[in-house]
Amino acid sequence: MEGNRRLEVLERQLCAVQLAEAPELIDAAALSAICPKQLQALLVHDNPELRSAVFEFLKGDIFKPNHYLSLMEFRELTLQRLQRFVAADFGGRGFDVRDYMNDPRRFMAGLECLSFCDYSMAIKAGVHFTLCGGTICKLGTAKHHNALLPKLNTLELPGCFGMTELGHGSNVMGIETTAVYDAPRGEFVITTPSNEASKYWIGGSGQHGKICAVFAQLTVGGVWQGPHVFMVRIRDDSGRLMPGVRIKDHGPKMGLNGVDNGQIWFDSVRVPRDAMLDRYASVDAAGTYSSPIPTVSARFGTMVGGLTTGRILIGQGAVTACMIGTTIALRYASQRPQFGDKLIGDYLTHQRRLLPGLATTYALQLGMKQLKVAAFDAAKPDAKLVHVLSSGLKAAATWSRVEVLQQCRECCGGMGFLAANKIGPMKTDMDVDVTFEGDNTVMMQQVARALLDDPATARLNAPGSWDRVALAGTPHVSAGQLHSLLQAHERSLLCHLRDAMASASSGKGGKGAAAAAAAAAFEENLDLVVQLGWAHVEARCMGYMLDEARSAPGGAAAGVSVLAQLYGATRIEARLAHYLQVGLLNGADAAALRLAVNKACRQLGSGGPAAPALKLCDAFGIPEHLLAAPIAKNWREMGQTL
Ligand SMILES: Cc1cc2nc3c(=O)[nH]c(=O)nc-3n(C[C@H](O)[C@H](O)[C@H](O)COP(=O)(O)OP(=O)(O)OC[C@H]3O[C@@H](n4cnc5c(N)ncnc54)[C@H](O)[C@@H]3O)c2cc1C
């Protein structure tokens, strides 16, 4: 007892010492060296001319926010906005869906810009061009490209993507819609065998869609071949439903109401043999099925592989929203006093609520940059890396967006609730991004599974207290130390899960029984599985920030290294329980970390309009007409500028 009390006293004394000696996170000289122009060049991933042209185009009156529209009017406006987009010139090349194959960075850049303006427009474009058009590009052959892509380019044929069913969302392999080849007639018969097999949530199908990329289980000559994709007309040229197609409009949703989602049933709909996208599998006239990919599961992987581009776009849209939200909230905070002359941005709580989000936004933007390099620039992309990064960053970016926008809305007080100030509509319109294009929890499981499947995992040693980075009593914490801690955190989760799965499967007779026991152990630890996904993304993003800080010109390097420090420290703080549990930090370190973060937030957020945080927001380069929120300009003129 006595010993315990002495230990407690000692611990308290140690913490008290640390109160006076918080380690430095941010070097003051770096703050004054930050150059928004140089930083912007680092943050804009590619195609600056196209991006400028699209931003300029979005100055048109039709793109101005209008929060008074009915559901049907908003859908109509969204369609008209898209019609303008497809007709625009953009420096002579316009926007071409074939760039999905020929110039994917240009394709992405054009679509990314739309989410700066309105998410319904961005998603309607994303469904049409990326999900429908991209699927035709990736899984179709010349006959599909020639017949369909020109009509997608002009919106003559508005496209949908029919993967999800009422009964089968995340589990795509389980879809029930059938496609049976009728050899004598040379046609496929597409059928919805039960209500649970109806296509559900299909964007664009409620009202405007005319063609749909339908995922269905293929049977040829009585043999099941797994999910394949068929291009099915759902409406004719004048917009009437095709024979055998029934559609129910979903009606109002909690947001994203410019997009017309719907439910589709196919009652023995006949489509010609050419309707099957046949790049990776085909059926000849006599009814012989062939594919260079031998197994159903490998073929399925190829069929859904095209979703990566959409996933990157969704993740990028979330980072864009974080840029917009933090810029609005920080600008407002830098001008608005409350309780005398004190600016709300000078309260520590305000800095603590907004600045970690700013650091996260940078980390994710630089993470997305490396994902695009991996996906689009390599002669032969590393498929596993692209899968892990696209899944992990999609989940981390969209979950972070939820948190960042909520903080931004609260930090703006009542003004955050006003639709004209943009944060609120972004919150409701984008809320879906955490569950569509791959549900986040399922995405993080895929990241963890890929890491655990890597043979290198077997050689890893679990970190212990010898990996502790003593924050208490150190004058300065380096970004390298924070990175080491983030990596040790990931390693600890990885080793824990590896060991749990290994011990569950050891001694089980037969390969099948051992695999089933390991899978059960994975399921029993799903909480840690998701944490591992997060830990991997965070360690990677921190690494990318440090790489950029090493190679970027001075004014950009200064900004990135300052935010890398804050990112690393606040991510560790958010997961403190685990660091303490495995001995990577102790109580005194935790106390020191808190103070160090407080100090860094003060350095970045104080100073009103001269606060360094505002320079870091300027580097996002968001055009004023797309920032749109009156409180981002001069809140004192509210009502006069609306
Ligand atoms: C506005 C909107 C637009 C959409 N547009 C389209 C479209 O154009 N085309 C299309 O095909 N689809 C579309 N979708 C469907 C979307 O892709 C699905 O909603 C998504 O795949 C999730 O499926 P679900 O809704 O059935 O959820 P479920 O898969 O049923 O998941 C429900 C919950 O269970 C959890 N869960 C599920 N499986 C697991 C697991 N293995 N482990 C742990 N937890 C699990 C999830 O995390 C989630 O919280 C759209 C959806 C919406 C809302």
Side-chain angles (χ1 to χ4, degrees):
M1 262 325 257
E2 185 51 31
N4 276 353
R5 215 168 301 127
R6 272 220 308 279
L7 238 154
E8 265 175 41
V9 172
L10 203 71
E11 181 88 345
R12 240 179 285 131
Q13 282 170 346
L14 209 71
C15 286
V17 170
Q18 299 321 318
L19 285 179
E21 295 173 13
E24 287 285 341
L25 280 184
I26 292 182
D27 170 18
L31 288 177
S32 51
I34 294 169
C35 169
K37 272 261 164 297
Q38 287 182 3
L39 264 175
Q40 192 179 337
L42 203 76
L43 293 174
V44 175
H45 294 157
D46 49 38
N47 289 286
E49 294 86 13
L50 174 69
R51 288 174 195 269
S52 300
V54 180
F55 286 157
E56 191 60 27
F57 161 79
L58 293 171
K59 276 186 180 162
D61 278 348
I62 193 171
F63 299 107
K64 296 215 160 72
N66 184 342
H67 303 290
Y68 292 90
L69 298 175
S70 68
L71 176 85
M72 299 312 259
E73 287 167 340
F74 188 22
R75 285 180 178 181
E76 182 55 31
L77 176 68
T78 305
L79 180 66
Q80 285 176 15
R81 285 172 167 174
L82 214 55
Q83 284 163 342
R84 292 282 178 97
F85 178 70
V86 300
D89 182 52
F90 301 134
R93 253 174 84 181
F95 183 83
D96 189 341
V97 64
R98 282 168 289 214
D99 280 339
Y100 182 93
M101 304 172 282
N102 303 333
D103 189 351
R105 278 184 172 274
R106 190 175 196 277
F107 179 86
M108 303 270 301
L111 293 179
E112 277 170 37
C113 291
L114 301 183
S115 64
F116 279 82
C117 178
D118 176 70
Y119 202 57
S120 281
M121 173 172 56
I123 292 303
K124 197 164 173 74
V127 169
H128 173 76
F129 286 117
T130 315
L131 293 180
C132 182
T135 300
I136 297 168
C137 288
K138 189 173 156 63
L139 303 182
T141 47
K143 59 179 178 285
H144 304 109
H145 298 170
N146 296 337
L148 300 175
L149 298 181
K151 293 181 179 174
L152 258 69
N153 264 343
T154 56
L155 259 189
E156 183 187 334
L157 211 50
C160 308
F161 181 76
M163 178 184 264
T164 305
E165 296 177 357
L166 176 61
H168 309 280
S170 300
N171 177 18
V172 180
M173 186 66 191
I175 57 164
E176 290 179 70
T177 301
T178 57
V180 178
Y181 188 60
D182 177 352
R185 290 176 62 175
E187 291 172 340
F188 293 100
V189 184
I190 312 285
T191 306
T192 304
S194 69
N195 199 47
E196 284 183 34
S198 58
K199 293 292 171 187
Y200 207 86
W201 283 122
I202 309 309
S205 72
Q207 236 185 306
H208 303 134
K210 291 189 175 148
I211 192 164
C212 185
V214 177
F215 281 70
Q217 303 281 1
L218 172 64
T219 299
V220 184
V223 180
W224 170 70
Q225 301 290 357
H228 288 66
V229 183
F230 303 82
M231 297 310 301
V232 183
R233 282 298 295 255
I234 53 173
R235 289 190 179 85
D236 64 16
D237 290 343
S238 50
R240 280 185 301 261
L241 286 177
M242 296 296 283
V245 175
R246 285 180 290 135
I247 297 183
K248 184 168 188 293
D249 189 329
H250 280 329
K253 306 183 290 286
M254 74 175 265
L256 207 62
N257 278 312
V259 181
D260 49 318
N261 292 85
Q263 182 176 10
I264 314 178
W265 295 261
F266 299 102
D267 302 329
S268 301
V269 173
R270 289 187 163 268
V271 293
R273 191 166 57 91
D274 280 352
M276 180 169 130
L277 298 182
D278 59 354
R279 178 152 173 211
Y280 296 102
S282 58
V283 178
D284 70 14
T288 308
Y289 177 86
S290 60
S291 170
I293 307 169
T295 63
V296 166
S297 67
R299 274 199 298 271
F300 173 68
T302 308
M303 300 292 165
V304 294
L307 289 174
T308 305
T309 306
R311 211 159 270 164
I312 300 174
L313 272 167
I314 297 301
Q316 185 61 61
V319 183
T320 297
C322 292
M323 291 181 186
I324 295 171
T326 46
T327 303
I328 293 170
L330 280 163
R331 281 203 195 173
Y332 183 55
S334 73
Q335 296 174 32
R336 174 158 178 95
Q338 211 53 200
F339 295 96
D341 290 340
K342 185 160 174 156
L343 294 167
I344 55 174
D346 282 343
Y347 288 103
L348 175 67
T349 40
H350 230 73
Q351 295 163 352
R352 269 289 198 159
R353 288 194 280 170
L354 292 178
L355 298 175
L358 179 64
T360 298
T361 305
Y362 266 72
L364 292 167
Q365 179 70 359
L366 296 175
M368 296 303 297
K369 185 175 177 179
Q370 292 309 318
L371 167 56
K372 288 178 188 171
V373 169
F376 304 128
D377 297 352
K380 193 174 180 311
D382 175 344
K384 187 179 161 191
L385 175 68
V386 172
H387 174 63
V388 165
L389 266 184
S390 60
S391 307
L393 275 169
K394 185 271 173 185
T398 55
W399 265 331
S400 300
R401 179 202 55 70
V402 172
E403 213 176 304
V404 168
L405 289 187
Q406 181 62 24
Q407 291 295 355
C408 290
R409 174 260 172 273
E410 289 180 30
C411 283
C412 295
M415 284 299 179
F417 198 68
L418 195 65
N421 285 324
K422 195 151 177 159
I423 296 169
M426 283 199 301
K427 266 165 61 67
T428 46
D429 283 345
M430 301 186 81
D431 203 62
V432 65
D433 66 8
V434 293
T435 55
F436 77 1
E437 300 265 351
D439 171 83
N440 282 1
T441 302
V442 177
M443 289 295 95
M444 285 305 199
Q445 286 182 37
Q446 293 198 13
V447 173
R449 199 165 273 130
L451 297 174
L452 286 159
D453 282 348
D454 189 333
T457 307
R459 296 191 294 274
L460 287 179
N461 290 322
S465 50
W466 54 90
D467 284 298
R468 177 183 163 224
V469 173
L471 303 180
T474 351
H476 180 80
V477 183
S478 74
Q481 287 173 312
L482 296 170
H483 189 209
S484 299
L485 278 169
L486 289 170
Q487 287 174 316
H489 176 228
E490 178 189 357
R491 210 164 69 245
S492 125
L493 288 160
L494 198 49
C495 291
H496 183 96
L497 287 165
R498 173 201 64 192
D499 295 348
M501 290 166 74
S503 75
S505 59
S506 90
K508 294 280 180 305
K511 224 171 149 190
F522 183 87
E523 295 276 320
E524 283 313 304
N525 287 283
L526 276 185
D527 53 341
L528 296 185
V529 164
V530 173
Q531 285 179 35
L532 172 59
W534 268 112
H536 182 72
V537 173
E538 289 171 356
R540 262 192 187 277
C541 284
M542 182 75 179
Y544 292 146
M545 290 178 103
L546 298 185
D547 290 345
E548 294 280 8
R550 274 190 288 272
S551 59
V560 174
S561 60
V562 158
L563 287 173
Q565 300 277 109
L566 186 62
Y567 177 70
T570 49
R571 290 294 83 204
I572 292 166
E573 209 182 23
R575 326 248 178 247
L576 207 48
H578 191 259
Y579 283 85
L580 294 170
Q581 187 187 328
V582 298
L584 287 169
L585 296 175
N586 66 20
D589 294 326
L593 184 65
R594 174 188 154 250
L595 292 173
V597 171
N598 278 359
K599 184 163 180 206
C601 285
R602 284 242 165 273
Q603 285 171 287
L604 275 170
S606 303
L614 289 182
K615 282 205 279 182
L616 294 164
C617 290
D618 288 346
F620 294 143
I622 307 164
E624 290 299 320
H625 64 284
L626 295 174
L627 212 46
I631 54 166
K633 298 181 174 98
N634 184 352
W635 64 270
R636 289 186 169 85
E637 289 177 5
M638 288 293 293
Q640 295 180 24
T641 53
L642 282 180

